Structure formats: C-alpha cells, structure tokens
Amino acid sequence: MHKLNPSLSVDCVIFGLDTNEQSLKILVYEREIFPIEGSGNKNLKFPGSLVIEDEDLDESAYRILNELTGLKNVYLKQFSAFGKPDRIKFDEEREWSEKHYGIKINRVVTIAYYALIRIDKHNPEQKQIKDKLRWINIDNASNLAFDHSHILSVALETLRRDLIFQSAISLELLPKKFTLNHLQSLYEIILGNKLDKRNFRKKIAKAGYIVPIGEKQTGVAHKPAMLYRFDKRKFNKNNEGIATFFI
Amino acid sequence: MHKLNPSLSVDCVIFGLDTNEQSLKILVYEREIFPIEGSGNKNLKFPGSLVIEDEDLDESAYRILNELTGLKNVYLKQFSAFGKPDRIKFDEEREWSEKHYGIKINRVVTIAYYALIRIDKHNPEQKQIKDKLRWINIDNASNLAFDHSHILSVALETLRRDLIFQSAISLELLPKKFTLNHLQSLYEIILGNKLDKRNFRKKIAKAGYIVPIGEKQTGVAHKPAMLYRFDKRKFNKNNEGIATFFI
DNA sequence: TTAATTAGTGTAAATAAAACACTAACAAAA
DNA sequence: TTTTGTTAGTGTTTTATTTACACTAATTAA
C-alpha cells in the first residue's frame, strides 16, 4: 500500500466541450456530506486526491485522473498551487477528507491541473467507471466544495489565455477529423464571444498547420463541410511547438 | 516556535536588473557543502525555506524573502510548483537540508515565486543582511543546487511572457522616475534582443500611462533625457489593471 | 573649441485586422 | 419532384498596426 502525503494533493479541472449544447462543461465528483437541499453545489468537487510519497506531481495528476474517471492520454497541465490554510473550511469537509483518505489531515496544499477532453470520446458515465461523476455546465458551477470555485475561475482564465496564445491546445478538444466550423465553435464557446467566419478562416489558413484531408462530412442535412486535421509536422516546423493563430 | 511542514517549501527567484552591466541577475544564497573546486554552482540556491504549518503560501513567500534577504514590498508572483521525487538528488543535499531545518526531510514539493526588484534600491549586501547572498548573472547560473537550474529556466520563460503580455510589471524594476531609454533597455536586457527606439516610443505613447514629469536628467555627459513616471490612475482607467503595450 | 555620447523626432511601405453578404450543397418535408 | 431549412464556403475594401529607417540636439569631458 502506498503512503499518502497528508499535506499535498492534486486536483484536476477537467474541461469538456459539449457541442450539442454549445457549452463548456467540467467533470465533477459528487459526494454526500451536506444535506441535499440548500447546500448549493457544496457536494461537488473536482477529481483530486492526496499524492503518494515519492510520486511525481505530473504522474500523480495522471494517476488520479485515471483512477477517478478512467481517462487516459489526456492533455493535462499544471496551472497553479492553492495553499490558503483555511481552504478546508467546514468541519464536515475535514471529516469527509479524513474518512475518505483514512489519515489525519492538517493543512493541504493542492497543485491544480487542467485537462482538456472530448466529452463524446471520454464520457465516464458511458464507461460506468464511477456513478458519482457528472458533467456540469461552468455557468452552474458556483459554490463548489472547498475553494474549488476559486480554482475553477483561475483554471478558466488560464484556459482562455492558453487558447489564445497557444492555440494548438484547442485541438485536444476535437476529434482527429473536424470541420473549420467545429474549430470556430470551440473558440466561441470557450472565449464566450462570436467570431467572424471569414476572418477566422484566414487565420487558420495563414497558420498553415490545419490542413484539409479531402473528405467531406456525410449524413448531415445541409451542405457537407470539408474535414480537416492537425498537421503535426508542419506545426513543429513552423512554430517550434508553441505557436498559435492568435484569434 | 513555528512548526515546519517537511513536505512543502517555497523558493524565490529574485530578478534584478543591473543597468551598468546591462544584464539580468538573480539573487542566490551560497552554502558550503560541496568542495569549492569542481562543484560548479552546486552550492548556490535560491532563497527558500520550508513553509510553516497554517501559513498561507503567498505570505510564506513574503516572509521567507524578508527573512533571508531583508527585502520588503516587492512584486512577487507564484509561477509553478516543482515536485519531482528526486529533486534533492545528492545525499549531501539531503543532509544539508535536514541540518538546516532541523527536521527529517522526505520528499519536498516547492512552490516557486519570482520577484522583481531594483538592485540599486534593495542591495542586500549594502544592507549587510546576510553575507551569504550574491547577485549572479543569469548567464552564469547553470548547474545550481537541487533542481534550481530548471526552476530558473521556467522562471525566465514566465518573466519574459509576463513582460510582453502584462507590460506594467516592467515598472517594478525601475525607479519612480525613469527615462524611456531605461525602460527600453529593460526590455532589451530581459527579452535578449534589440528594439527600435522610435517604434518603442510610439507604443509607450499609445499605452498612455507612462507620462513625462517635466523634469530632465542632470549630471550626464550627453543630452539629458526627459524623466517619466507610471500613472497608476490612467493605467487603471484604461486597462482594468491588466494591460500592456505588447512589445 | 572639439569630441564623445545619448536624446529625440516622422514618414512611407507593408502587413494585419475588421467589417460585411451572397451562393452552394445537402436532407427532410411537403 | 419541388420546396424548405440549414450549414458551408468564399473576397474585397477600409482601417489600423507594424516595420524599417537617419538625422539633429543637448550635454559633459577633453
């Protein structure tokens, strides 16, 4: 059995794009410690756990993500540490944590990661990994457990900035083959505003690493769109792995 | 006496601008554990310490910075956590740490902050706070203690990005009154490339929050330059506290 | 008086950003 | 089979931004 460090945890803010609802969602874990009524979202928290002694933080994040949600091979990035001594505010929270981990908890500093995944591909409910996981809309995510609402707001800020200055991460949220409207819609959902279709396409074209695969959508009740893919080789060659189409 | 958390530390990468040498420096702490010859910079580390139980991380960073260097009221920003289990690689390092803190150390995750200070104003040697502190040029900072070389490279990346996308932080490194050439020189030193003087000034003018104070330099053996200051009111009004002149 | 040094200024050309509306292709419904 | 609804796809003009570039001015030191 691995020994847990009682001062250190990792939390994962898992973002998923709901292309039907045109909304950005997060995957949260539902506990049952506060009464159902009137407790707001206090029973919802991000998947997270204490880290094992002698475990690398990044590995810890991957392990926790996989154990709690079954997710693998996802884009995961550390974005901040949260360490207010009163992060765990309620006695019930402390009790829950101690029962949950089976060790005495003091003050816990959490290292927060965000993950980008495709809801259609990685729906944990479909995979019946845990029946306690739920996707919720970020607009309904106020008043989460611990300081998780604060963590969410920092995560969102970071995601939006990364999406602009490091555009390639957007592709984590799309299938291998996608249409330019899918990509544009992703930006609109995450950034929260509309973009001009023609200007958007000009930028994509200039970036050069998003290329048509010569196939079209099928089965859609409208003009089928050309499918595109991410060309890693072109990306690396022109952008040294960092660049962006700076929406 | 405060109890230290044996798993958690804070390290401060303190950047200072040397305007004479036209170089960016960091403030490091010199230990004596490895033989002087052949140990490279392995005796040099960033000011840092274990955090006290029940101490906020940001407060911890300010406390540590003040205790170790005498510095106060400096710009300090958390930029990453480092948690590889083998961060403390040599037995000597572990021994040093245990002797230094007086407690048994296991694996330590460090939360890293960077600070920006004016060397002329805050020279710890002048203030005889510690005789073990030294400014070293970032170009001579390879092979530091622990994983501190890696921490430095992440800190530098972050600083450069922040300087571009959050330009106002540059003013932390300058005196209240400065010339536009000082400001430009700061950018050139930190970003490591030359900028066009006229284009630079156009951007500053457009930003609007760097204003002339109607005074000129004195005692210089060349045409004296106009002195400028940062206008906080204009900055907040136009930029909501974030903006930048995007060099 | 001269030399050395940094301060300060404008313009033209190229590039990028923004605003804007119609036709094309498909499935479903009539 | 025709019509309807829906999304795909395309260029141009205007405006703003970026880039490249070189000389005169003011001071102290020699």
Side-chain angles (χ1 to χ4, degrees):
Chain A
M1 180 54 190
H2 295 299
K3 198 178 157 210
L4 296 174
N5 187 313
S7 312
L8 276 174
S9 69
V10 159
D11 281 299
C12 300
V13 179
I14 304 163
F15 288 110
L17 201 67
D18 188 321
T19 42
N20 299 322
E21 284 188 30
Q22 296 273 304
S23 66
L24 187 62
K25 300 199 159 177
I26 49 176
L27 191 58
V28 291
Y29 188 82
E30 181 160 25
R31 310 171 300 169
E32 287 179 14
I33 57 172
F34 295 106
I36 302 296
E37 278 184 64
S39 61
N41 289 323
K42 274 289 167 221
N43 284 328
L44 300 180
K45 68 182 286 289
F46 293 120
S49 170
L50 295 181
V51 314
I52 295 174
E53 284 294 359
D54 290 322
E55 179 183 43
D56 180 55
L57 289 178
D58 291 357
E59 276 170 29
S60 180
Y62 280 108
R63 174 185 62 81
I64 287 167
L65 193 64
N66 183 256
E67 282 179 10
L68 296 181
T69 69
L71 295 166
K72 271 186 191 178
N73 300 321
V74 301
Y75 178 87
L76 199 54
K77 180 179 168 180
Q78 189 204 114
F79 65 93
S80 191
F82 296 87
K84 288 215 181 305
D86 63 347
R87 289 184 59 235
I88 301 182
K89 274 194 192 110
F90 307 101
D91 288 345
E92 291 95 332
E93 292 283 19
R94 184 174 302 276
E95 251 175 57
W96 178 85
S97 296
E98 298 196 340
K99 197 179 295 177
H100 187 78
Y101 296 119
I103 58 175
K104 180 113 184 83
I105 298 272
N106 302 309
R107 170 272 192 89
V108 179
V109 167
T110 199
I111 315 296
Y113 285 76
Y114 78 81
L116 299 182
I117 70 167
R118 290 170 41 205
I119 290 181
D120 61 310
K121 193 178 163 191
H122 295 287
N123 196 327
E125 274 150 339
Q126 287 170 3
K127 292 183 164 186
Q128 81 251 45
I129 306 281
K130 284 274 178 189
D131 56 357
K132 290 182 178 168
L133 284 171
R134 302 216 320 249
W135 286 105
I136 63 169
N137 200 305
I138 54 163
D139 299 325
N140 307 328
S142 57
N143 204 26
L144 301 173
F146 307 118
D147 57 350
H148 286 197
S149 290
H150 177 225
I151 292 179
L152 173 60
S153 75
V154 178
L156 254 179
E157 245 176 65
T158 311
L159 171 62
R160 288 182 174 141
R161 205 182 44 231
D162 288 352
L163 196 64
I164 292 174
F165 296 121
Q166 203 180 314
S167 314
I169 64 159
S170 58
L171 303 160
E172 299 291 334
L173 288 166
L174 292 175
K176 283 226 171 76
K177 305 172 179 186
F178 53 86
T179 72
L180 294 185
N181 281 13
H182 289 152
L183 184 59
Q184 181 176 344
S185 171
L186 181 159
Y187 271 84
E188 292 177 338
I189 292 168
I190 297 180
L191 299 181
N193 53 32
K194 290 281 168 194
L195 299 169
D196 181 276
K197 191 200 277 198
R198 287 186 273 202
N199 295 337
F200 183 84
R201 284 165 186 244
K202 265 179 269 179
K203 298 229 184 172
I204 301 300
K206 191 152 65 82
Y209 52 80
I210 301 215
V211 297
I213 59 179
E215 247 178 84
K216 290 189 173 182
Q217 277 183 313
T218 53
V220 287
H222 53 76
K223 177 173 177 179
M226 176 61 74
L227 293 167
Y228 287 74
R229 69 179 174 84
F230 174 52
D231 187 325
K232 215 169 197 170
R233 226 172 34 94
K234 288 191 180 166
F235 177 76
N236 288 329
K237 191 187 278 180
N238 301 329
N239 303 293
E240 293 145 15
I242 329 175
T244 105
F245 27 88
F246 265 76
I247 298 305
Chain B
M1 180 53 189
H2 295 298
K3 198 178 157 209
L4 297 174
N5 187 313
S7 310
L8 276 174
S9 69
V10 160
D11 281 300
C12 299
V13 180
I14 304 162
F15 288 110
L17 200 68
D18 188 322
T19 42
N20 299 323
E21 284 188 31
Q22 296 273 303
S23 68
L24 187 62
K25 300 199 159 178
I26 49 175
L27 190 58
V28 291
Y29 188 82
E30 182 161 23
R31 311 169 301 167
E32 286 179 13
I33 57 171
F34 295 106
I36 302 296
E37 279 184 64
S39 61
N41 289 323
K42 274 288 166 221
N43 284 328
L44 300 180
K45 68 181 287 291
F46 292 121
S49 170
L50 296 181
V51 314
I52 296 173
E53 284 294 359
D54 289 321
E55 179 183 44
D56 181 54
L57 289 179
D58 290 357
E59 275 170 29
S60 180
Y62 279 108
R63 174 184 63 79
I64 288 167
L65 193 65
N66 183 255
E67 282 177 12
L68 296 181
T69 69
L71 294 167
K72 272 186 190 177
N73 298 322
V74 300
Y75 178 86
L76 200 54
K77 181 179 168 178
Q78 190 204 113
F79 66 93
S80 191
F82 296 87
K84 286 214 182 307
D86 62 346
R87 289 184 59 234
I88 302 183
K89 273 193 192 111
F90 307 102
D91 288 345
E92 291 95 332
E93 292 282 19
R94 185 174 301 277
E95 251 175 59
W96 178 85
S97 295
E98 297 195 341
K99 197 179 294 175
H100 187 79
Y101 296 120
I103 58 176
K104 180 113 184 84
I105 298 273
N106 302 309
R107 168 276 191 89
V108 179
V109 168
T110 199
I111 316 296
Y113 286 74
Y114 78 81
L116 300 182
I117 70 169
R118 290 171 42 203
I119 291 182
D120 61 309
K121 192 177 163 190
H122 295 287
N123 195 328
E125 274 150 339
Q126 287 170 2
K127 292 184 164 187
Q128 80 251 45
I129 307 280
K130 284 275 177 185
D131 57 356
K132 289 182 180 169
L133 284 171
R134 302 217 318 250
W135 285 105
I136 63 169
N137 199 306
I138 55 164
D139 299 326
N140 307 327
S142 58
N143 203 26
L144 301 172
F146 308 117
D147 57 349
H148 286 198
S149 290
H150 177 225
I151 292 179
L152 174 59
S153 76
V154 178
L156 253 179
E157 246 176 63
T158 310
L159 171 61
R160 288 181 174 141
R161 206 183 44 233
D162 288 352
L163 197 63
I164 292 173
F165 296 122
Q166 203 181 313
S167 313
I169 64 158
S170 57
L171 303 160
E172 299 289 336
L173 289 164
L174 292 175
K176 283 227 171 74
K177 304 173 180 184
F178 53 86
T179 72
L180 294 185
N181 281 14
H182 288 153
L183 184 59
Q184 181 176 344
S185 171
L186 181 158
Y187 271 84
E188 293 178 337
I189 293 168
I190 297 180
L191 300 181
N193 53 30
K194 290 282 168 193
L195 299 170
D196 182 275
K197 191 199 276 199
R198 287 185 274 200
N199 295 337
F200 183 84
R201 284 164 188 245
K202 264 181 271 179
K203 297 229 184 173
I204 301 301
K206 191 152 66 80
Y209 51 81
I210 300 213
V211 297
I213 58 179
E215 248 177 84
K216 290 191 173 182
Q217 277 182 314
T218 52
V220 286
H222 53 75
K223 178 173 174 178
M226 177 60 75
L227 292 168
Y228 286 74
R229 67 178 176 83
F230 174 52
D231 187 324
K232 214 168 197 168
R233 225 172 35 96
K234 288 191 179 165
F235 176 76
N236 288 329
K237 192 187 280 180
N238 301 329
N239 303 293
E240 293 144 16
I242 329 176
T244 107
F245 28 89
F246 266 76
I247 297 305

